[in-house]
């Protein structure tokens, strides 16, 4: 028996990174998984791979730009057509931009808000009625370590992640009577394509950049390393399954002790 047997869960931003690992783990635990992303080739390949590995039609890819209301509506229709219902949602999709606040163009700031914050809002608003119709369910939003504190050069990102905590708390209060639980994962640094050091300096040697990142987090994080996407997926599984049945409206920091520790740099 899997922890998610019989459940249908939408995971956004699931073609790679944390979302990919969440989709893989959820399917392995018995869920039917709807993989939403804008990376169509990678998403289609992942859905096919998961279904072939588990020996059944257990994963479906849908094109989902989380900032677009019409895409959310289409994703819900596709999920119900494929699997009959929706029991869970993981709002994982997000983007990260590095810039000083005073140098951040308005267009860039609004783009981050539209994907990270509005995308989360649209997911809750669109999927919650489907969860209620299924008799209840779960929503797991993805915030960040930066939702709990500040961090230089990621002002737009941090602002959206703070906002997601507020959305989570309000949604948890409003949806509890409908048997829908809403929680937030707050990862620290996680080894995914979004945090690839090449994004900061495309001219840097990839091996040297990766080594520099590893050395940075060895000093910065009490557990001495960057996080793994599989570890975040395990937390999302806990918040989606029955093991967390009495938990709602809460942020869960998964950062290797970064927030609790004192930098030794």
């Amino acid at each position: 028996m899997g922890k998610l047997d019989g459940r249908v869960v939408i995971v956004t931003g699931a073609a790679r990174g944390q979302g990919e690992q969440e989709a893989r783990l959820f399917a392995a635990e018995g869920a039917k998984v709807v993989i939403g992303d804008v990376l169509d080739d990678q998403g289609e390949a992942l859905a096919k791979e998961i279904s072939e590995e588990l020996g059944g039609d257990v994963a479906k890819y849908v094109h989902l730009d989380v900032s677009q209301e019409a895409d959310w509506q289409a994703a819900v229709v596709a999920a119900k057509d494929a699997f009959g219902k929706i029991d869970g949602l993981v709002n994982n999709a997000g983007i990260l931009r590095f810039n000083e606040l005073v140098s951040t163009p308005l267009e860039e700031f609004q783009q981050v808000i539209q994907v990270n914050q509005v995308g989360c809002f649209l997911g809750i608003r669109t999927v919650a009625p489907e969860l209620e119709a299924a008799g209840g369910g779960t929503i797991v939003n993805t915030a960040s370590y930066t939702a709990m504190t500040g961090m230089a050069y990621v002002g737009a990102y941090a602002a959206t992640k703070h906002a997601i905590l507020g959305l989570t708390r309000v949604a948890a209060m409003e949806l509890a009577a409908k048997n829908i639980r809403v929680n937030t994962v707050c990862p620290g640094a996680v080894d995914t394509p979004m945090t690839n050091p090449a994004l900061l300096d495309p001219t840097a040697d990839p091996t040297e950049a990766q080594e520099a990142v590893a050395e940075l987090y060895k000093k910065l994080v009490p557990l001495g390393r960057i996080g793994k996407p599989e570890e975040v997926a395990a937390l999302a599984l806990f918040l989606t399954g029955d093991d967390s049945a009495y938990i709602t409206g809460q942020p869960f920091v998964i950062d290797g002790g970064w927030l609790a520790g004192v930098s030794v740099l």
Side-chain angles (χ1 to χ4, degrees):
M1 295 291 289
K3 292 184 177 181
L4 299 181
D5 281 350
R7 298 191 53 144
V8 178
V9 183
I10 297 175
V11 183
T12 70
R16 64 181 187 180
Q18 289 175 187
E20 175 187 347
Q21 296 306 318
E22 287 161 351
R24 290 182 182 278
L25 180 58
F26 284 25
E29 289 289 348
K32 302 290 178 56
V33 180
V34 179
I35 297 168
D37 211 307
V38 294
L39 302 174
D40 295 332
D41 291 343
Q42 288 175 257
E44 290 279 8
L46 178 61
K48 181 179 179 181
E49 180 183 336
I50 291 173
S51 291
E52 289 177 350
E53 285 181 354
L54 297 177
D57 184 18
V58 299
K60 177 179 177 59
Y61 174 74
V62 295
H63 180 89
L64 175 54
D65 178 345
V66 296
S67 69
Q68 300 300 312
E69 187 172 11
D71 277 19
W72 273 108
Q73 294 168 343
V76 165
V77 170
K80 292 173 68 178
D81 284 348
F83 302 126
K85 61 173 182 171
I86 303 171
D87 302 288
L89 167 65
V90 180
N91 275 316
N92 170 74
I95 59 174
L96 174 63
R97 300 289 182 267
F98 294 92
N99 223 330
E100 291 183 315
L101 279 176
V102 296
S103 301
T104 302
L106 177 60
E107 181 181 4
E108 179 180 295
F109 196 87
Q110 290 176 326
Q111 180 192 30
V112 177
I113 288 175
Q114 195 68 23
V115 174
N116 295 2
Q117 182 177 334
V118 175
C120 183
F121 157 72
L122 288 174
I124 295 170
R125 194 185 69 177
T126 308
V127 175
E130 303 300 331
L131 303 182
E132 181 183 8
T138 57
I139 298 174
V140 178
N141 299 321
T142 304
S144 166
Y145 164 98
T146 62
M148 316 297 288
T149 185
M151 182 179 292
Y153 309 114
V154 293
Y157 181 82
T160 61
K161 297 306 183 178
H162 275 76
I164 287 172
L165 292 189
L167 280 172
T168 297
R169 289 170 175 139
V170 171
M173 294 172 68
E174 293 183 359
L175 299 175
K178 299 174 181 179
N179 195 31
I180 298 171
R181 297 186 296 106
V182 189
N183 291 291
T184 306
V185 296
C186 300
V190 179
D191 190 10
T192 68
M194 191 173 76
T195 59
N196 189 321
L199 296 177
L200 292 174
D201 184 6
T203 65
D205 178 85
T207 301
E208 291 180 0
Q210 201 67 46
E211 290 174 351
V213 167
E215 188 63 27
L216 170 65
Y217 290 111
K218 184 178 180 180
K219 296 178 180 178
L220 196 63
V221 176
L223 288 184
R225 62 174 175 83
I226 195 169
K228 302 174 183 178
E230 295 89 344
E231 293 168 324
V232 180
L235 178 55
L237 172 65
F238 168 72
L239 294 173
T240 299
D242 291 338
D243 289 340
S244 59
Y246 196 53
I247 300 174
T248 194
Q250 302 304 313
F252 287 79
V253 178
I254 175 168
D255 69 347
W258 189 4
L259 189 64
V262 178
S263 173
V264 294
L265 290 179

